[in-house]
Amino acid sequence: MKVVLQDLVKRFANSDRAAVNKINLVIEEGELAVLLGPSGCGKTTTLRMIAGLEQPDSGRITIAERDITDLAPKDRRVAMVFQNFSMYPTMNVYDNIAFPLHAVKMKRGEIDRTVREVAALVNIDHLLGRSVRQVSGGEAQRVALARAMVRRPEVFLMDEPLSNLDAKLRVQLRTEIKRLHQDTGTTFIFVTHDQEEAMTLGDKIIVMNNGDIQQVGSPHEVFFAPKNAFVANFVGTPSMNMLPGAVSGDNGGGYRLQLPGFELSLPARFHDGLARMAGKGVIWGIRPEAIRLVAEAGENTVSGEVELVEALGSRDLIFVRAAEQLFGVIVDAQESVAVGAPCHLHFAGGQMHLFDAESERSLLNDCG
Amino acid sequence: MMRVPTSERVLAYVILIVMAILVIAPVLAGSITAFKPQIIWVSSPPTWIFEPTLENFEFVFFTRKGWVYLRNSLIISVGSVAIALLLGVPAAYAFARFRFRSSKALMQWLISLRMIPPIVVGLPFYAMFLYLERGLGIGLRDTFPGLIITYQTFLLPLVIWMMRGYFAELPAAMEESAMVEGYTRLGALWRVVLPVVWPGIVATAILNFIFAWNEFFLALILAGNRTSTLPMTAGTYIVRTRVEWGNLFAVNLIIMVPVILLTIALRRQLVKGLTFGILE
């Protein structure tokens, strides 16, 4: 179902800053939306307000046009999976999954059928008789998923459900959640601080910081077209290389960017934005994947020396000291270079990002 | 398991045995006296070989109405523990889960109640009961409700402190999950949380029962003929001219045995409850 948040505000008594600061958000029916941000950004508070576990100070929440702002959690037709809780410890797997059905006074035969059906869907039908001590962390989190699904909620809410699992299991369950979303076609709202998890799962990513929504977009949009310096820096591992700079016009009607120790010519797509920026400072950014090692110095290159090499598998992350700055560069493992080797970094104009140093907004989507 | 050197083990056993003897020997010697006929209660040197008799028990239990005091003690202890749990468990849950005005100060005030000597509580309660009786005609002196209310001053803080610990150990997501799944907070508390903290409730109940059962001073001030408890009557065997040792120890045994039996019967829950969160 379609979820709409309207001017949602939440303040906590012990803080003068709003945890959620008048946010507006539309999540379409059947979408898998990911709330992404660092801890304390307001993503979990937002999710908890949708669940009814926190009451907003102002604003409205609707699910499928139904205003649920003042309803008790139990009446919202949502289901939630938590980070630090998966199974009721005094019940076995079967009773855990049946638990939400007892609340609606379902008949025993129907409960039994539903429990087995849902358990099969998340591959725990062989564990039904087990107690909490006899299941692993991953299995317990599947029980939580089953319990969430069993009442056929209109919206699934997931609060970092994979954070307490080990890396391999996390990736495996991530895929299953994605599959579950495809099979059920229900709206999912997933909270995480892990940008890789957000990228792989989300149809739509909502990047949050300090209680505000920074950007809403597809995984590609937030990665390739970040609206501001925060999103650019937060999304993507390893992080985008960013430097403060100053812009000046050149003779041919173009612009040049002075960075500490070197300068670059800026591509035409920035011209509109730069025209409004006369004399102001900018932040320049480029992703480690977008930097090329080239054989010779030339236009838009800077020369330096490899300081550190980290193997990532098929690719290496190398750190290059150039013009007294440290650049992270992703290179193919086969083309990798030794520590101490001299090299030239080339920055492709098409992959540069520019932000207003003051507002930190991108110069490309200045209107948005 | 870590291997402990034999010498250390021997030392540990020696210390434990000495401590056990120090604690158990007087109790044991006294308990033996409870079965001695009156003529050898205070024989010197003590007589150890004799034909055990139940006449002391018969005397304290029937002639001196011990069964009435046993009944009184049971009513007061069970009643006050029940009330303390009924009020204290929900209060502890609130303290564990919600932050409200001066909740921290209230918790500290509650623990400070445990530091007050009983006489500081007993005398004002006596005066209060007297005023209630004369002013409003509410008689609480020498009644079960009166004693049960008074006992809350030392039982309720203990219940709240112990239970708050158990509740605080559990993730709030446990109830929140149940609340999203169709239950009210009270429903979630009842169906999900209480079953988990059950061993804690049992441990709390036992400890509080022992405190109430052994309570002497408040009962001495506030109970009377109708509500005398067992510990109070133990005092009546120490009279100005002599101590009726055999009878005294017979009463003592009647006081001790229920507590010991209760602890043995529920020892698994007790250990589980008292070590909640420490042992996994």
Side-chain angles (χ1 to χ4, degrees), chain A residues 14 48 51 53 73-74 78-80 82 84-85 88-91 99-100 102-103 133 147 151, chain B residues 99 171-184 187-188 191-192 195-196 272 280:
Chain A
N14 51 3
R48 289 172 60 85
L53 298 171
K74 68 186 179 69
V78 300
M80 187 154 168
F82 295 83
N84 58 353
F85 171 74
Y88 301 118
T90 52
M91 307 175 200
F99 184 70
H102 289 301
R133 287 174 198 284
R147 228 181 34 240
R151 280 225 295 176
Chain B
R99 289 180 71 167
M174 191 184 273
E175 304 94 276
E176 287 171 352
S177 176
M179 284 162 69
V180 175
E181 282 160 17
Y183 296 88
T184 59
R191 286 162 153 271
V192 170
V196 178
K272 212 169 147 191
E280 240 325 293

Side-chain angles (χ1 to χ4, degrees), chain B residues 245-256:
Chain B
W245 290 111
N247 297 335
L248 178 61
F249 283 120
V251 174
N252 281 355
L253 263 184
I254 298 173
I255 296 174
M256 281 191 306

